[in-house]
Structure formats: structure tokens, C-alpha cells
Amino acid sequence: MLTAGQVLQLIRDRTCRTRKELIEVTGLSRSTVTDRVDRLIEAGYIHESGVATSGGGRPPSVLDIDATSRLALVADLGASHARVALTDLAARPMAEEHIEMRIARGPEAVLTWVRQAFRRLLDRTGRPAGQVCGIGLNLPGSVDHASGRMIRSFLMPGWDDHPISEALRAEFEVPVLVENDANAMALGEWWSSWRGCASLVLVKVSTGIGTGIVLDGRVYRGVEEAAGNLGHVRLSESDDRVCTCGSRGCVASLASGHAIATDLGRDTSRDVVRLVHSGDPAAIARVQEGGRTLGVVLATAVSLLNPGVLVLAGDMAETGEHYLTGIRESVYRRSLPYTTRNLDIVTSSLGDRAGIVGTAVIVMEHVLSPRAVDAALAARSGAVT
């Protein structure tokens, strides 16, 4: 017998839109469906949003997710920026805040700002903290989802094994979900533009290089939470440039925004973007070379995963077609034609908001999962009795 949480999933994915359809699809009795639906309405998970076409008699009420009764607080942290947002449970932003901040300042300083910014968002919108049902945060490194701790990052000194979830849960007593930034961005792009695609690969090229993989609507993380570490594939044993991981010849030391900036005598990947926008021929040539270099590794990913879309995100996506052109050259030249004939190679549609959207989706999927919903309804029932 389906639980209320499972009934909610049928409504969420539009399999069933009315009580009558729930009875027909599930085989549950009318009284059982009425009980499940009434509990979900009373708890604010769904609401009646109109009437459906009637086949005779009284038109049935349409059931839909009540995305605004619960809220999520999410944070997107990069090497040099921090963005926070308050969203509803359809991943729609209600308020946002953004600053330039080096994540190398350490967890205490950065997470203190995040907590304070969360409070400012709630105050600005006039929404009570009690409506927040989950918090999400993404970071440029590998994370342990069970503990909410950073496993490893080459850009974040002092963050390894820091209790990130605990630091945020101390002020907001809700589930705290921690994710890798490229994974969150990949999920955000998939959710916003490519939900009909079974396989999506996103590569973020900014200070470093990170990759997120979405398979059948789910982030693929790997056994050690290390899937997508394409930036540390070694392409040249003889190259003398040292990567942040300590090795030589990694693709990140050759094709990342930081590597390109260093070769051009600049400080950051943002400087590279500005040079390209100004039409600097040396910068354009070096950016295209970087795209071709990364494309060598991405061609292997295309052959392995056969994705329907390959998304370029991060600072290098803002160079227009220049970095993307280099990627396309290598991928199409090095991959079998039938693996690329239906492949879209595009820049991010969400830009610097992809991480926020993806992290909001992660929170949404967690708090609206059958297990979480059934647990919340059981706790609510116990509190009432």
C-alpha cells in the first residue's frame, strides 16, 4: 500500500492530478486516497489548484504541489565568490545576495557570513525561519554527503574535514545538504533546460576545472565522491607546470582560467575574460588553445558516457565562443561520429546562478522524498496527539 509520501510523488511527476486518477492508478480505496490527500493538504505539501475537465458530474479538483509553504536556504561558494538565496520548493528564488569573497579565508569566516546572509534574506522577505525546511551549500571540492564534511579540495586550505553541516544546523535545525559545486551546477542546468536529456555533462572552467555528471536526473558522484575530477587528468608528463594537486601536466595546469591568466601575465580568470572581450588577439588564441586541450579529455568522457549535452560553465563560458570552439574542435575530431551526432555542446544557460538553482533542487528533492515526507507526517501526527 502506497504511503502518503509515495502518493505525493505521483502528484509531483504529474502521473496523477486528481483523487480519481490516484484511485485508478494506485488501486487504493477511495477512503485511503482521501486520507493520504487530506494529510498532505493539511501539512501544506499540496493544494487544490483548480478543476479538471469532467466526464460527467461534478468536476474533480486538481491537486498540485504547494511550493511556497516551505522554503530553502542555499549557498553557492566558489574560489572567489559567495552567493546565497532564499527559494521556494520549485527552486524559484525569492531573494539573493552576492559578494566577492575568497574561500581561502577559511570556514569560520565564510560560514559566519553565510549564516548572517541567510538571516538577512529572511528579514528582507518577512518570512519566518520556521518555514525553512532545508539548507543546501555547494563548494569547489569533494564532499562526504553522509557527514556534510569536506573530503578534499586543492583550493580551500583549512576546510578539510570541517563540520560544515553542523556549523549551519546549529542555527537552523533542518537538514543541511553539502554538494560539490560542479555537481550542483550540472543539476541546475539539467533542471532548467535539459530535463528531457538522459545524460548531461557540465564542465566548469574558472580558477580550476570541475565536472558534474547527471544521469537519468541524478548526480553521479562515484564510489569515493570523486567522479568528475577531469581537471587532474595528466596530459603531459614532461610539462614543468605544477598543478594545485602537486602533480605536473594536469589538464587544470594547462587549460584552467588560472593557467591561462598566468600565461598572459594576469592574476585571475576574470582578467582573461576582460582581455577577450576587449579583442586581445593573444588572449583569444590562448583561450582557444585551452579549450582544445580540455577537449582532448572531454572526448574520452563523451565516448564513455555518450551524453546528450555537454555544458561549459564558469568564467571561460563568458569568453563567448572562443573557449567553446576549442572544445568542439577536439571533441568532434577525437570522438566517433555516432557518439556526437546528437550531442549539443553549449554554454551555460543559467550563468553564475546555475549553482544556486542546482543546490535548491537538491534540497527540494530531499525534503519532498517519500521517506522525508512520511517522517514529517509521522512527527506531525505525534505532535498533534
Side-chain angles (χ1 to χ4, degrees), residues 291-320:
R292 285 191 292 270
T293 300
L294 178 57
V296 172
V297 178
L298 289 175
T300 300
V302 166
S303 297
L304 181 66
L305 298 172
N306 189 206
V309 59
L310 176 61
V311 182
L312 172 65
D315 289 343
M316 290 303 101
E318 297 182 29
T319 63

Side-chain angles (χ1 to χ4, degrees), residues 41 47 50 60 71 96 99 109 137 150 200 244-245 268 292 313 329:
I41 290 176
H47 62 156
L71 307 174
E96 293 190 20
I99 66 168
L137 182 143
M150 177 68 64
L200 175 147
T244 54
C245 69
T268 70
R292 285 191 292 270
E329 285 182 18

